[in-house]
Amino acid sequence: MQAESTAASAVAPINDGMVRSLDPAHGQIELLGSRCATCGEVSLGTNAVCLNCGGDNIESIALGSEGTLWTFTVVRHRPPGNYLGPDPFEPFGVGLVELPSGLRVMTPLDGDISTFRIGDKVRLAPWLLREGEDRRWLAFRFTAAGGSAA
Amino acid sequence: MNDSDIVILGAGIHPFGRFDASAQDLGAHAARAALADAGLAWSDIEAAYLSRMYLPATSGARILRRLGGTDIPIVDVEAACASGGAALRQAVLAIRSQDVETVLVLGVEKMPRGFMDPSMIYSPWQIRMGMSMNPAYWSMRAMRHMHDYGTTQSQIARVAWKNHRNSVHNPNAMYRKEFSMEEILASPLVCDPIRRLEICAPNDGAAALVVTTGRRARQLGGNPVTIAACIHTIARYSADFRCPADSMSATIENTGPTALTARKAYETAAIGPDDIDCFEVQDTDAFCEIEIYEEIGLCGLGQGGPLVEAGHTDIGGRYPVNMSGGLISKGEPVGASHLGQVVELVGQLRGQAGARQVADARTAMAHVLGAGGNCAVTILRH
């Protein structure tokens, strides 16, 4: 695992090979994916083998930051386990966002829980999470395109 | 029943609920009840399979030691919510191979209250980001179905109303209380649009079956029920976005696990949905049952809501579903869940289901579906 660094400023990706900063302040990020040269399928994260056909001729790609909300829900209870979102808990959206690269990504949604609609245009946004005193993670979520950031 | 058929000769259950009793106590109770129902002794059993998800290693041997010393193979089987189907299938295959003739299949679970431990199925990053809530995944399916087909919250609540009403007559269910549609629709949202009275809870329980050949059952007498099909599959690539999926393809849509497994079961049993008299299915949430109606062929795509609204899946309807009260009422002790469905259906086919009996039930289907896209369907005939 990464992020055992003692430097308080060190920020590690929430999952290796899935999300990357585009600037030192983590103001902009991109989601990373893999495209199979054999069957053309795109998958989330950096994978050595295609999850569809098992092929190993894989190209790393950026998945794009603009998408459409394909479905969603509102999580009304604190999720079980080591959830690092707001404490005290606040209900939040979770959605499946369709990206132009041909993938739907499961993601937290930032914004007013009463406003989400299937078909909404949404945009990738960085989400910095703190775990204990010195662990910081670069995570991601999607927010209404044109909506206000947290 | 033919000599070459594989049959259930004994069925036993420990009620589903929350108990101080240990997993050993629960399991031994169900196993003894199944043996007594079959008219057999523990020493007549030649192999045993334990279905469980949460219990530790060698639980099968540790539970069944309660019945007395043995040297038979006892194997623990796990396939998430479909564990019971996977274990029953192992028994069928072992008997078909003619290595053994009489097998015990036992399902036991003892689970903590509340949402299931996410580290069992999710990656640490998903848990940190709050993506570890199983009902969120079911609810996202419901939202999309409502968007595509106009399925309503009232139709979803109607499933919960039916199952809670059926549970009143089931002494093996954890919750045995009828609720009005208004009470269900006023219960708090867990994950929109699914509400507290529309969702199942993990709990404790056990169920057991004695499985043997038609030949042996004929020699022994008793009241055997034939296993016409027992199928287990996992979801194909991008066929399902249940937990713990982190994404799905927008370009490939494979047949979903329930439709695929039911199709294989129908082919094996050489029958179709209209030939089946009653059903027990995976109502982890009330919407899920609507989707299952469509996937097992009780109605067309998008017609599940109107089907339940018209009462067609009530006891006395064309396709009675979850006469036991379903998981919404019984709770879901994961390893015991499918075998509990089969115990219910054995009772239905023998005409022993009391106030929840489906008239003249001759053929029945049990269905489970869960994490990793694990799905199992068992078809029984009497």
Side-chain angles (χ1 to χ4, degrees), chain B residues 244-296:
Chain B
D246 60 24
S247 58
M248 69 178 294
S249 175
T251 58
I252 292 181
E253 192 175 339
N254 278 317
T255 303
T258 293
L260 176 71
T261 314
R263 191 172 74 208
K264 290 182 178 203
Y266 289 137
E267 285 169 9
T268 302
I271 58 174
D274 287 331
D275 302 313
I276 297 185
D277 301 311
C278 55
F279 303 80
E280 289 281 318
V281 307
Q282 178 88 21
D283 58 331
T284 20
D285 66 283
F287 165 73
C288 190
E289 185 174 311
I290 288 179
E291 191 178 37
I292 293 162
Y293 297 157
E294 300 170 11
E295 296 203 2
I296 66 176

Side-chain angles (χ1 to χ4, degrees), chain A residues 1 14-15 18 41-42 44 51-52 69-85 92 94-96 98-99 102-108 118 127 129 131 135 137 139-140, chain B residues 115-118 124-137 139-144 147-148 188-193 196 237-238 241-242 245-254:
Chain A
M1 289 297 291
I14 190 80
N15 191 31
M18 186 173 285
E41 272 296 286
V42 170
L44 176 64
L51 304 177
N52 180 40
L69 195 56
W70 193 77
T71 188
F72 71 96
T73 185
V74 176
V75 175
R76 305 237 172 214
H77 295 267
R78 187 176 192 86
N82 184 28
Y83 171 54
L84 302 181
F92 65 99
V94 166
L96 199 46
E98 184 160 327
L99 299 170
L103 189 67
R104 297 180 190 137
V105 176
M106 214 65 88
T107 175
I118 289 174
W127 190 24
L129 297 174
E131 182 172 4
R135 254 179 154 182
W137 300 105
F140 62 90
Chain B
F115 297 109
M116 294 187 189
D117 174 5
W125 70 270
Q126 291 175 296
I127 298 171
R128 289 186 169 106
M129 283 172 58
M131 310 294 288
S132 60
M133 189 90 156
N134 296 0
Y137 295 76
S139 296
M140 282 189 274
R141 300 185 69 84
M143 283 294 213
R144 186 69 203 189
H147 175 266
D148 286 348
L189 286 161
V190 177
C191 290
D192 305 23
R196 189 171 295 164
Y237 173 75
S238 195
F241 60 91
R242 273 180 186 77
D246 60 24
S247 58
M248 69 178 294
S249 175
T251 58
I252 292 181
E253 192 175 339
N254 278 317

